[in-house]
Amino acid sequence: MKTKGLLHPLGTVELPLDQVLVGDCIAAMDALPPASVDLVFADPPYNLQLGGDLRRPDDSLVDAVDDDWDKFASFADYDAFTKAWLAAARRVLKPDGALWVIGSYHNIFRVGAILQDLGFWMLNDIVWRKANPMPNFRGRRFTNAHETLIWAARGESSKYTFHYEALKGGNDDLQMRSDWYLPLCTGDERLKDAGGAKVHPTQKPEALLARVLLSASNAGDVVLDPFFGTGTTGAVAKALGRRFIGLERDPVYAKAARERIAGVTPLPPEAFATAPSKRSEPRVPFLSLVEAGLVKAGETVVDDRRRHKAVIRADGTLSVGPAIGSIHKVGALVQGLPSCNGWTFWHVERDGKLMLLDVLRGEIRAQMAAA
Ligand SMILES: C[S@@+](CC[C@H](N)C(=O)[O-])C[C@H]1O[C@@H](n2cnc3c(N)ncnc32)[C@H](O)[C@@H]1O
């Protein structure tokens, strides 16, 4: 059994890592030590309030979510349940942890209000736009073509994880937006029983979970899913080098999840390791390059087309005529711009070729890392 010991007032409590626990998620979370998980992903009952059968125009029956686990006697009952599981999830989250919860118009507004009342801090709501939504068969409303995910930090001061640059890199160097266009879970990914029927009515697509885990967790992080279903969170966590804790009250779903996850081969670490973000790299003042002898006082720096030049001063500033300032200020000044990143604007000449200051900064950073 893979476990991780955590110090708890009652002694060392083992975390049930990479396991699926069968039972009520609130009781299961209450049994875990506080501040022990990095991320919660929750796909709770939506309380869809479906009355009667839903049929297509040809009178065939729609395979809608009418399971008992999605039924609540009243909104008040649903709110009480939501408050209880969210409070339990908040207790097990580390101070810098965060929670994702997915829902639809039936429940997400109630969930959002309760989240805020409990002290969670909203970071984004993500619209999952479905590439292949189910049509509105009665033609009485718009096609319901999206679901909403709320991403919230445990509290206002939580230093939550967000791999901004990794997401941007995978998005043609454009900031990842809060509307995600992804298909429903279909084809081989959809678990079917021996008779070809869906094992679970609301199995989520792995691509959705992959985006959540890649953006908001690190390799090795513990991700808890209190409504595990077929274990989509666990399958993706295993592939991406995260640890998971799955809670599911239905033993049939839990068994299907275990079997599914057993068949997942983890990706090699180089396929998911997050590149260090620029912001997390140590700050290097330009003066350090002068002090290290990588550039010399009195030497000239130029832009990539040699249209602008400035002189490096002994104190780590640049001068152009009477103007003196940082590599950034002088870079902005010569271009007539409000701002400039001097590291990626100025070059020095080395062996007849131009070399960016940013490359020399990289050398200092490599020395710092080695030390
Ligand atoms: C919307 S489904 C989750 C589907 C899952 N994300 C997947 O991809 O398969 C919600 C699941 O929560 C389970 N569930 C409902 N209430 C629960 C509770 N109190 N404790 C644990 N599981 C519960 C249901 O049995 C159901 O499988």
Side-chain angles (χ1 to χ4, degrees), residues 25 29 41 63 96 138 140 185 197 238 258 275 302 310 312 366:
C25 66
M29 286 190 276
F41 178 87
D63 189 9
D96 291 334
R138 293 188 186 131
R140 303 269 295 273
C185 176
K238 184 175 174 187
R258 283 191 200 104
V302 295
I312 299 173

Side-chain angles (χ1 to χ4, degrees), residues 160-174:
Y160 58 89
T161 298
F162 180 47
H163 297 300
Y164 168 80
E165 280 162 27
L167 271 275
K168 189 175 168 186
N171 193 37
D172 292 350
D173 286 328
L174 296 172

